[in-house]
């Protein structure tokens, strides 16, 4: 007891320089990167990809407010994304009509309304579902998502039925001289709101509510002892998470100019969950990694291979089984290891592990690609780097087997080395 | 989320792609379902377009340029279609081909309109080969959109004319997919029946979710208990096939008057029960008398793609009209081609096809056919195929419907 | 009247099918606390395996071997996958099965293609059995009814009349106590997981040919099975049975009703011209199970017949 009383906390307060380096600087660097990207003269394809990444970054991070920070596993996060997007879509059409007060509303500010709509949906749906945590919460979120997704096809007035609601973003007053017509102008819209979203969510983690949400995740009883109601904490966090998802929804509405009821369904919700988890839910920046990688896989890898979803599944399961702290955990773990007491031994172990994984991956890729071509039945052979690997070629099977075995051996060796070090 | 099969299919399909690199290529993007419940509908059309392109390339291309068609899988989802459209544009496509799903077509028309307004000099055209909601060539009509299939009102007029000649029909049941197309079909049926046969009672007007129903038994039992003498449906793809599977199981003999009875697997689902019972209205059937070249084409298609049958005649019409227009314009650029397409007339295997300038709606003869076991070409690897019903030919002039389109052309 | 009879017949058949799927999931869920997201994937595997086996031999061999094969795969998944993840907690287990569902769907797409396979009813059962109000009821549906009943009785006998069943029942409510008594709990878990998956596989074998056997069948069936398990209640096979029949009947009855909201709530001034008024009861079919799920979770979290909360 007495030690606590006399403990001097002031020694642990970060200095202003530390605060700047740890809190403000990463955000400034992030913003600088986003500003610098157009200077490289990206192609249309690159713009398309980056817009989707921006949307997914905000979305995955808003999801992590629930899963990572508050410990709430949701299977229905796309619902709030959808409501934010739908409301933005309707407002976009009101702006086009120029009716009433909406005529003077700039399309650029739609994400603010998206935030409001998402937060409102979170407030309505969260009220009954946040009373419980754990599996019950997960099941309610799943039920709500399916309910909204199938119900959306009934109310054509708001959801537009099978073809959804489309609009035109080039209406209303302009902001910053952006017409939002060409794709390079939309970039500034996306970049601006991505930064606002990330900064906003970071600021949220610094508030008492953000701190309390972590406390509620770890030990709801103790939160109750110190006089807070865990249900209310969860509910408040849920509303904010819904709001940021709605913000991402409005970004998507402006980018694609269409929203369909499919946006609410289990598929998109599952993708959000995978993005956040693969990135690493225990880190604030984890979902950014996940969003970038998975968006890239979704848009680019699907051009190279029919089986990209299979690779995604393998990636997700591997993360769940072997690296529950996600990509961010791997990256930061690497950094920490290098700064550790024995960087050399760590690096060797790490490289052995990496080589093992790479070898196993080669085996998997060869196997899957041969299978995909066999399945398509167009008679095309898999030939990486001009090496013909037909399914009749014994070399291909040898390659699959050898690389898998060698990779397995290497990873096991790495594991043993790690144990010896520990 | 998308499958690009260009390389794969091209390698399997064509030896001509080897020479394609030397000439300029005209890039066409085929945005349709290539997987899932509507995958077969998209793929059988895709193979038809590929074969048509291959024939054009073999005959020297379009103004010397080769045609290249790339598939983009949209899963019949409008949002996904716009993502794929963006990719197609990034890949340099100037012609968009789509047909399955009016919900998708509606999104594409709006997107293409906006894209062309924002990117002058890089315009794209949208060739719609099967999305038949009438609005697309009426109130929603666009200079950038051309439809190569008869729209729902035209097809429904053919069906209701047939009902008019059959005084035995007193009760009609309408069933369709719950989206803009199914709603348009139901509306057209109700309006046209009220005009042509006011004595007919509509005993059911049902819309079911698109592509989600796996067992139509409850629906067919409803149809049976309603005592209907005929069923009208605009269903296509898996929704058509499964509806007929349930109808066959329930054992009733109500005739089904359909737009897309030719969807893969539908005739096989009914088997012998389909004879004299399953009707469709289409722009052509393989068992019509035709030229030797047309028969050769039908057989070539079946030989190359044994899992499908020659069904998308309009795919070949689309490509033939595109080629004719490009040659007339002396250019493969979208705007001259679009102007040349307006009013263009070609002789196709089953009559003329004219692209009406006022609304970009193709005008062509329609044929009502019924499943029969006495045919030259069976479908779905059965002996059952489509046979013209007596008086089932609707001439081009008779099939024509007025339009409310006020076309805005670029100046 | 006819519509109600049809709906009852179809609802019972569909309900029993749902029970076949959900009984395994209930056992697994109550015992291990894992909501197996991939459960419907095993249902899909059953249908595809049956299609392959039937192509090579006959439907009857498929009926026996496809579920066994699926059960073995399920046991392997528990042994080498779930057990590993178990140390990371329930969320990790849930996510593992979630990823597994993705993986199985993609593998099925590669092996069997992206579109539906032609898995047909065996010709020996392909005839109309009885006629009700002018509509034929195919013999195969009667056969489904019998298979489902046989499974129901078999499961009941296994749980109530055998020693293994007693242990499983005990493990349902008090897994730790069973472990303390010296039983090999991991082995019980693996066996139950395998049996549960085999039951799902059996459902796939007999349902794949009257519905559609395609790679999306798992995604479509999955959420409904969850609804059954949660509505029925944890650890309660009886609850799962009641919930299966309830949902089967609800969905089929809804399709049979033509009335719209305007017809029902007309006295409140709702007209068919309005958005809400034009909604028909038959279009509510897909929404009802999830509405039921949300209401149950909010007002009766232990489910219809469950003993403890989720």
């Amino acid at each position: 007891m007495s030690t606590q009383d006399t403990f001097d906390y002031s020694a642990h307060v970060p200095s202003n320089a530390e605060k700047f380096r740890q809190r403000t600087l990463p955000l400034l660097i992030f913003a600088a990167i986003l500003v610098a990207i157009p200077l490289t003269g990206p192609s249309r394809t690159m713009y398309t990809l980056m817009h989707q990444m921006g949307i997914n970054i905000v979305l995955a991070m808003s999801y992590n407010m629930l899963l990572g920070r508050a410990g709430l596993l949701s299977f229905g996060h796309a619902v709030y994304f959808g409501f934010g997007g739908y409301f933005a879509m309707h407002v976009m059409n009101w702006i086009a009509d120029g009716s009433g007060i909406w005529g003077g509303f700039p399309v650029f500010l739609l994400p603010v309304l998206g935030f409001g709509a998402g937060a409102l949906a979170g407030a309505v749906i969260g009220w009954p579902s946040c009373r419980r945590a754990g599996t019950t919460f997960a099941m309610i979120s799943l039920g709500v998502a399916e309910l909204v997704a199938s119900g959306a096809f009934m109310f054509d007035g708001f959801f537009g039925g099978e073809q959804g609601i489309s609009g035109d973003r080039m209406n209303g007053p302009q902001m910053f001289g952006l017409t939002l017509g060409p794709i390079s102008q939309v970039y500034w819209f996306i970049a601006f709101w991505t930064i606002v979203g990330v900064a906003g969510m970071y600021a949220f983690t610094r508030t008492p509510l953000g701190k309390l949400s972590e406390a509620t995740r770890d030990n709801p009883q103790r939160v109750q002892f110190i006089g807070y109601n865990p249900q209310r904490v969860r509910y408040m966090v849920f509303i904010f998470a819904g709001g940021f998802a709605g913000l991402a929804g409005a970004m998507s509405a402006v980018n694609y100019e269409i929203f369909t009821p499919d946006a609410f369904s289990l598929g998109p919700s599952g993708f959000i969950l995978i993005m956040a988890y693969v990135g690493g839910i225990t880190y604030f920046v984890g979902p950014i990694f996940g969003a970038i990688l998975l968006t890239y896989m979704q848009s680019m890898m699907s051009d190279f291979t029919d089986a990209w979803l299979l690779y995604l599944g393998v990636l997700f399961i591997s993360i769940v089984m072997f690296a529950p702290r996600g990509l961010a955990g791997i990256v930061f773990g690497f950094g920490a290891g290098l700064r550790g007491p024995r960087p050399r031994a760590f690096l060797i172990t790490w490289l052995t592990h990496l080589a093992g994984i790479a070898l196993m991956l080669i085996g998997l890729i060869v196997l899957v690609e041969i299978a995909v071509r066999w399945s398509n039945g167009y008679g095309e052979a898999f030939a990486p780097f001009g090496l013909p690997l037909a399914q009749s070629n014994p070399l291909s099977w040898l390659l699959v087997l050898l690389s898998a075995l060698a990779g397995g051996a290497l990873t096991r060796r790495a594991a043993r080395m790690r144990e010896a070090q520990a | 989320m998308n499958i690009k099969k260009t390389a794969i299919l091209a390698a399997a399909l064509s030896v001509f792609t080897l020479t394609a690199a030397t000439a300029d290529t005209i890039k066409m993007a085929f945005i349709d379902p290539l997987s899932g419940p509507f995958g077969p509908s998209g793929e059988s059309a895709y193979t038809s377009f590929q074969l048509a392109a291959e024939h054009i390339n073999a005959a020297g291309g379009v103004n010397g340029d080769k045609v290249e068609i790339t598939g983009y899988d949209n899963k019949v989802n409008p949002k996904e279609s716009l993502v794929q459209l963006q990719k197609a544009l990034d890949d340099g496509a100037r012609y968009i081909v789509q047909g399955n799903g009016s919900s998708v077509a509606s999104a594409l028309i709006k997107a293409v309109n906006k894209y062309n307004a924002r990117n002058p000099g890089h315009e794209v055209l949208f060739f719609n080969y099967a999305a038949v909601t009438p609005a697309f060539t009426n109130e929603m009509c666009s200079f950038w959109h051309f439809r190569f299939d008869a729209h729902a009102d035209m097809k429904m007029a053919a069906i209701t004319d047939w009902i008019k000649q059959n005084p035995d029909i007193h009760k009609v049941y309408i069933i369709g997919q719950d989206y803009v197309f199914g709603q348009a079909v139901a509306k057209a049926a109700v309006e046209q029946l009220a005009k042509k046969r006011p004595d007919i009672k509509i005993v059911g007007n049902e819309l079911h979710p698109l592509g989600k129903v796996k067992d139509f038994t409850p629906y067919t039992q409803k149809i049976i208990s309603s005592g209907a003498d005929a069923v009208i449906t605009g269903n296509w793809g898996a929704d058509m096939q499964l509806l007929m599977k349930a109808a066959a199981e329930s054992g009733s003999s109500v005739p089904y008057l359909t737009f897309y009875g030719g969807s893969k697997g539908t005739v096989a689902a009914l088997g012998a029960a389909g004879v004299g019972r399953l009707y469709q209205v289409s722009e052509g059937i393989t068992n019509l008398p035709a030229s030797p070249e047309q028969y050769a084409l039908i057989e070539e298609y079946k030989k190359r793609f044994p899992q499908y049958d020659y069904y998308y005649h309009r795919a070949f019409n689309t490509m033939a009209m595109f080629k004719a227009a490009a040659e007339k314009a002396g250019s493969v650029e979208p705007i001259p081609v679009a102007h040349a397409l307006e009013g263009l007339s070609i002789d196709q295997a089953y009559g003329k096809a004219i692209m009406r300038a006022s609304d970009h709606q193709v005008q062509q003869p329609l044929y009502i056919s019924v499943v029969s076991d006495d045919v030259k070409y069976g479908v779905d690897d059965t002996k059952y195929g489509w046979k013209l019903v007596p008086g089932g030919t609707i001439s081009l002039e008779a099939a024509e419907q007025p339009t409310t389109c006020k076309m805005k052309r670029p100046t | 009247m006819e519509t109600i009879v049809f709906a009852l017949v179809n609802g019972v058949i569909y309900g029993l099918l749902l029970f076949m799927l959900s009984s395994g999931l209930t056992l697994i869920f109550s015992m291990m606390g894992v909501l197996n997201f991939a459960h419907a994937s095993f249902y899909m595997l059953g249908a595809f395996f049956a299609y392959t086996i039937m192509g090579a031999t006959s439907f009857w061999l498929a009926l026996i071997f496809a579920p066994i094969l699926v059960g073995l795969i399920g046991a392997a998944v528990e042994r080498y996958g779930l057990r590993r993840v178990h140390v990371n907690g329930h969320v990790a287990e849930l996510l593992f099965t979630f990823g597994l569902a993705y993986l199985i769907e993609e593998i099925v797409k590669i092996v069997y293609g992206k579109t539906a396979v032609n898995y047909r009813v065996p010709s020996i059962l392909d005839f109309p059995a009885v006629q009700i109000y002018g509509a034929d009821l195919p013999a195969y549906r009667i056969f489904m009814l019998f298979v489902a009943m046989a499974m129901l009785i078999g499961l009941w006998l296994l749980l109530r009349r055998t020693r293994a069943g007693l242990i499983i029942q005990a493990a349902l409510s008090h897994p730790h106590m069973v472990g303390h008594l010296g039983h090999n709990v991991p082995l019980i878990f693996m066996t139950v997981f395998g049996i549960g998956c085999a039951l799902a596989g059996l459902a796939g074998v007999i349902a794949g040919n009257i519905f559609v056997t395609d790679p999306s069948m798992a995604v479509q069936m999955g959420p409904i099975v969850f609804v059954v398990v949660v509505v029925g209640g944890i650890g309660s096979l009886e609850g799962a049975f009641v919930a299966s029949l309830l949902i089967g009947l609800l969905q089929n009855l809804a399709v049979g009703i033509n009335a719209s909201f305007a017809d029902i709530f007309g006295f409140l001034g709702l007209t068919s011209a309005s958005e809400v008024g034009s909604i028909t009861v038959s279009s509510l079919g897909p929404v009802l199970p999830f509405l039921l799920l949300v209401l149950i979770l909010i007002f009766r979290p232990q489910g219809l017949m469950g003993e403890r909360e989720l």
Side-chain angles (χ1 to χ4, degrees):
Chain A
M1 254 313 158
S2 58
T3 47
Q4 271 188 15
D5 289 341
T6 57
F7 197 89
D8 183 14
Y9 287 101
S10 60
H12 289 261
V13 171
S15 67
N16 280 338
E18 272 174 332
K19 274 184 186 166
F20 176 78
R21 193 156 50 82
Q22 289 171 353
R23 297 176 191 171
T24 321
L25 193 63
L27 255 176
L28 287 179
I29 293 174
F30 183 63
I33 292 173
L34 289 189
V35 171
I37 282 173
L39 301 178
T40 62
S43 63
R44 280 185 60 87
T45 317
M46 277 308 287
Y47 272 126
T48 316
L49 180 66
M50 285 184 300
H51 294 177
Q52 186 59 44
M53 279 180 185
I55 295 164
N56 280 346
I57 285 173
V58 177
L59 189 55
M61 293 190 89
S62 76
Y63 181 73
N64 205 36
M65 291 172 73
L66 292 180
L67 181 58
R69 300 278 140 187
L72 293 169
L73 176 63
S74 163
F75 287 103
H77 204 56
V79 168
Y80 314 99
F81 174 76
F83 273 113
Y86 258 109
F87 184 60
M89 231 36 254
H90 282 288
V91 175
M92 203 189 288
N93 285 330
W94 295 335
I95 294 171
D97 294 344
S99 56
I101 53 162
W102 294 113
F105 193 86
V107 169
F108 196 91
L109 292 183
L110 277 181
V112 176
L113 299 180
F115 186 94
L120 184 68
V124 173
I125 297 171
W127 179 71
S129 51
C130 284
R131 284 193 287 175
R132 295 163 200 286
T135 314
T136 315
F137 175 85
M139 292 317 295
I140 295 182
S141 72
L142 180 83
V144 167
E146 288 284 339
L147 189 66
V148 174
S150 38
F153 284 101
M154 283 177 199
F155 299 95
D156 288 4
F158 187 78
F159 299 106
E162 199 67 52
Q163 84 257 35
I165 302 276
S166 13
D168 187 347
R169 61 186 174 227
M170 288 177 72
N171 286 304
Q174 295 173 6
M175 272 182 79
F176 307 116
L178 294 173
T179 61
L180 293 181
I183 198 157
S184 52
Q185 291 200 5
V186 180
Y187 176 83
W188 293 113
F189 167 82
I190 297 278
F192 178 83
W193 286 106
T194 306
I195 294 170
V196 169
V198 171
M201 280 183 274
Y202 182 71
F204 181 82
T205 63
R206 311 298 309 167
T207 62
L209 180 60
K211 295 284 174 202
L212 266 177
S213 83
E214 289 171 51
T216 313
R217 169 196 67 194
D218 295 333
N219 197 336
Q221 261 176 328
R222 284 188 72 169
V223 170
Q224 226 160 353
F225 285 151
I226 56 169
Y228 293 97
N229 181 350
Q231 288 183 11
R232 186 164 304 160
V233 172
R234 282 197 285 264
Y235 182 47
M236 301 283 282
V237 175
F238 195 80
I239 293 174
F240 274 97
F244 281 107
L247 183 120
M251 287 164 71
S252 171
V254 173
N255 188 38
Y256 292 108
E257 300 176 291
I258 189 170
F259 245 89
T260 58
D262 288 301
F264 292 101
S265 61
L266 203 53
S269 285
F271 195 71
I272 302 171
L273 160 64
I274 295 181
M275 277 194 297
Y277 199 85
V278 165
I281 55 167
T282 47
Y283 296 89
F284 176 75
V285 293
I288 299 185
F289 293 176
I292 290 176
L293 178 74
L294 263 71
T295 312
Y296 183 81
M297 283 177 77
Q298 187 180 34
S299 332
M300 291 292 142
M301 226 172 99
S302 54
D303 286 359
F304 301 123
T305 170
D306 282 5
W308 81 272
L309 273 169
L310 181 74
Y311 295 119
L312 178 67
V314 171
L315 175 71
F316 181 65
I317 287 197
S318 314
I319 294 274
V320 171
M321 287 183 76
F322 304 110
R325 288 155 81 81
L327 294 176
I330 297 172
V331 171
F332 292 127
F334 181 65
L338 282 186
R339 284 194 302 272
R342 276 177 299 182
R344 205 182 131 78
F346 172 81
L347 195 66
I348 291 172
T349 316
W350 202 84
L351 285 176
T352 316
H353 209 149
L354 190 70
I357 292 171
L359 274 175
M360 285 201 284
L361 196 63
I362 289 174
L364 178 78
I365 289 174
V366 173
L367 177 71
V368 169
E369 292 305 312
I370 291 174
V372 165
R373 279 154 182 81
W374 164 79
S375 158
N376 281 338
Y378 296 124
E380 191 211 16
F382 177 51
F385 311 111
L387 191 68
L389 296 175
Q391 81 233 40
S392 55
N393 189 348
L395 178 72
S396 12
W397 299 108
L398 201 67
L399 193 64
V400 172
L401 208 65
L402 274 185
S403 48
L405 285 178
L410 275 181
T411 40
R412 215 161 306 141
R413 194 181 144 77
R416 271 202 304 274
M417 284 156 74
R418 193 156 297 155
E419 270 169 37
Q421 281 166 33
Chain B
M1 298 261 158
N2 78 98
I3 290 122
K4 284 215 284 182
K5 292 189 176 167
T6 352
I8 306 161
L9 257 175
L13 274 168
S14 169
V15 288
F16 305 104
T17 40
L18 291 175
T19 58
T22 54
D24 277 345
T25 48
I26 306 163
K27 287 191 175 167
M28 290 189 161
F30 179 89
I31 303 180
D32 249 346
L34 295 169
S35 65
F38 298 113
S41 303
E43 202 160 86
S44 66
Y46 186 39
T47 49
S48 303
F49 274 100
Q50 287 286 1
L51 190 63
E54 195 182 312
H55 280 226
I56 287 174
N57 290 343
V62 177
N63 297 341
D65 291 346
K66 302 291 176 193
V67 182
E68 182 190 303
I69 297 180
T70 307
Y72 297 83
D73 186 7
N74 70 359
K75 300 176 174 66
V76 211
N77 175 339
K79 166 95 181 281
E80 184 65 23
S81 304
L82 295 196
V83 175
Q84 298 303 333
L85 171 70
Q86 191 64 255
K87 287 189 99 140
L89 295 171
D90 293 346
D91 292 344
R94 302 295 298 276
Y95 295 92
I96 308 297
V97 180
Q98 185 270 345
N100 285 303
S102 287
S103 47
V104 171
S106 156
L108 280 179
I109 291 173
K110 288 174 193 162
V112 164
N113 286 346
K114 278 182 286 196
Y115 178 83
N116 288 346
R118 290 172 195 171
N119 298 277
H122 296 90
E123 290 85 356
V124 294
L125 291 188
F126 173 23
F127 292 164
N128 166 2
Y129 70 90
V132 298
T133 299
F136 301 157
T137 48
N138 285 292
E139 60 270 25
M140 257 184 84
C141 71
S142 157
F143 177 75
W144 312 108
H145 164 259
F146 290 87
R147 175 151 56 195
F148 294 88
D149 192 6
H151 65 61
D153 287 352
M154 299 165 75
K155 293 187 183 192
M156 189 55 74
I159 289 177
T160 46
D161 281 342
W162 185 84
I163 290 178
K164 200 173 163 187
Q165 295 159 18
N166 283 272
D168 298 344
I169 296 175
H170 302 291
K171 291 176 177 173
V172 169
Y173 199 101
I174 305 164
I175 182 164
Q177 296 149 316
D178 192 6
Y179 75 113
V180 54
F181 162 69
Q183 290 152 5
V185 170
K187 183 167 160 269
V190 172
E191 283 175 6
Q192 295 187 14
L193 281 176
K195 229 178 273 165
K196 290 175 190 168
R197 281 283 303 274
D199 61 307
I200 279 187
K201 195 168 166 238
I202 292 170
V203 290
N205 192 345
E206 178 108 37
L207 294 172
H208 63 78
L210 173 68
K212 293 200 179 84
V213 180
K214 294 295 155 193
D215 181 13
F216 276 93
T217 311
Y219 294 98
T220 49
Q221 283 171 341
K222 251 172 118 173
I223 292 172
I224 291 169
S225 41
S226 74
D229 303 315
V231 179
I232 295 178
T233 179
N235 279 16
W236 53 278
D239 284 335
M240 183 74 228
Q241 186 198 342
L242 294 175
L243 176 66
M244 293 326 285
K245 191 173 160 187
E249 269 191 0
S250 68
S252 83
S253 53
V254 190
Y256 277 75
L257 312 172
T258 74
F259 283 17
Y260 299 112
S263 291
K264 177 184 155 63
T266 308
V267 171
L270 273 173
V275 173
R277 184 176 162 204
L278 178 62
Y279 294 78
Q280 73 162 347
V281 52
S282 59
E283 76 284 5
I285 49 170
T286 50
N287 293 314
L288 286 174
S291 62
E293 293 83 43
Q294 180 63 16
Y295 284 138
L297 179 68
I298 292 168
E299 277 152 31
E300 186 192 356
Y301 181 85
K302 184 71 190 169
K303 213 173 129 214
R304 287 281 280 288
F305 310 105
Q307 69 271 43
Y308 299 113
D309 294 292
Y310 184 92
Y311 169 72
Y312 281 106
H313 179 61
R314 48 191 181 272
F316 294 89
N317 289 350
T318 305
M319 294 303 282
M321 291 185 91
F322 166 66
K323 181 173 151 64
E327 278 162 7
K328 189 170 129 196
S331 162
V332 295
E333 282 292 305
I335 290 184
V337 168
H339 283 293
L341 266 172
E342 294 194 321
L344 182 79
S345 161
I346 62 161
D347 289 313
Q348 42 110 351
Y350 306 116
K352 260 189 184 337
I354 301 171
M355 183 54 72
R356 190 160 70 181
S358 57
D359 60 348
H360 295 188
Q361 168 65 49
V362 82
Q363 304 298 325
Q364 62 194 358
L366 292 175
Y367 301 92
I368 297 179
S369 50
V370 67
V371 173
S372 160
D373 53 2
D374 170 32
V375 289
K376 183 174 164 75
Y377 296 111
V379 295
D380 293 340
D381 300 316
T382 65
K383 62 177 173 168
Y384 309 106
W386 296 97
K387 190 178 179 179
L388 191 68
V389 302
T393 306
I394 298 110
S395 69
L396 184 150
E397 294 76 20
E400 188 159 3
Q401 294 274 329
T403 177
T404 59
C405 172
K406 293 183 188 69
M407 185 68 72
K408 279 194 216 91
R409 293 181 177 78
T411 43
Chain C
M1 186 59 214
E2 294 123 287
T3 17
I4 292 176
V5 173
F6 287 139
L8 284 180
V9 173
N10 285 320
V12 168
I13 294 175
Y14 184 60
L16 285 174
L17 189 76
L18 278 181
F19 177 65
M20 206 180 288
L21 259 163
S22 52
S23 51
L25 189 62
T26 301
L27 284 180
I28 295 167
F29 188 22
S30 359
M31 200 177 268
M32 309 166 70
V34 182
L35 208 52
N36 180 10
F37 250 94
H39 200 72
S41 307
F42 291 102
Y43 157 80
M44 169 166 75
L45 283 182
F48 275 99
F49 287 169
Y51 163 72
T52 307
I53 298 175
M54 189 180 169
T57 55
S58 81
F59 175 76
W60 307 104
L61 285 177
L63 189 65
I64 297 166
F65 287 107
I68 293 178
L69 212 56
V70 173
L72 289 177
I73 294 178
V77 162
E78 200 281 329
R79 174 69 186 77
Y80 298 103
L82 268 183
R83 208 175 286 182
R84 260 201 94 111
V85 186
H86 186 72
V87 289
N88 296 339
H90 280 335
V91 168
E93 286 178 296
L94 196 66
L95 292 176
F96 172 79
T97 61
F98 186 72
L100 189 68
Y102 255 81
L103 210 56
I104 292 180
E105 182 177 333
E106 288 311 306
I107 292 173
V108 164
K109 272 187 194 163
I110 289 178
V111 176
Y112 290 97
K114 294 183 193 74
T115 49
V117 296
N118 189 15
Y119 175 33
R120 300 195 79 107
V121 170
S123 50
I124 193 169
L125 287 172
D126 197 9
F127 62 90
V130 284
Q131 223 183 28
I132 318 168
Y133 298 110
D136 292 342
L137 190 68
Y140 189 77
R141 292 197 183 232
I142 308 277
F143 168 76
M144 282 175 73
L145 205 65
F146 277 109
V147 174
M149 294 302 252
M151 187 228 85
L152 193 67
I153 295 167
L155 193 66
W156 189 79
L157 286 177
L158 174 79
L159 288 177
R160 301 281 149 137
R161 290 281 181 271
T162 64
R163 200 181 133 69
L166 277 180
I167 299 170
I168 291 176
Q169 275 196 56
L172 279 182
S173 48
H174 301 96
H176 294 293
M177 194 61 210
V178 173
H180 293 314
L181 286 172
H183 293 286
N184 186 349
V185 173
L187 183 71
I188 298 176
F189 277 7
M190 189 175 87
T191 315
V192 169
F193 202 92
I195 292 176
C197 292
L199 288 178
L202 180 66
V205 176
I206 65 166
N209 44 13
I210 63 157
F211 300 147
V212 187
T213 301
D214 69 358
S216 66
M217 66 194 284
V219 181
Q220 271 163 350
M221 205 50 137
I224 304 267
V225 181
F226 279 152
V227 174
V228 170
V229 170
V230 175
V231 169
I234 306 294
S236 169
L237 277 173
E238 294 85 354
F241 182 72
V242 173
S244 304
L245 285 182
L246 183 67
I247 286 170
L249 289 172
L250 259 182
Q251 281 200 299
N252 277 284
L253 278 171
V255 171
I257 298 171
N258 269 327
S260 68
F261 276 15
D263 300 336
I264 301 169
F265 299 108
F267 60 91
L268 296 175
L270 202 63
T271 64
S272 59
S274 67
E275 180 97 43
V276 177
S278 62
I279 294 171
T280 58
V281 174
S282 62
S283 69
L284 278 180
V287 186
L288 286 175
F290 302 108
L291 195 61
L292 192 65
L293 173 74
V294 173
L295 291 180
I296 284 274
L297 281 171
I298 293 170
F299 295 111
R300 199 180 154 78
Q302 70 271 41
L304 287 179
M305 303 174 92
E307 282 130 28
R308 57 189 151 109
E309 291 194 8
L310 269 173

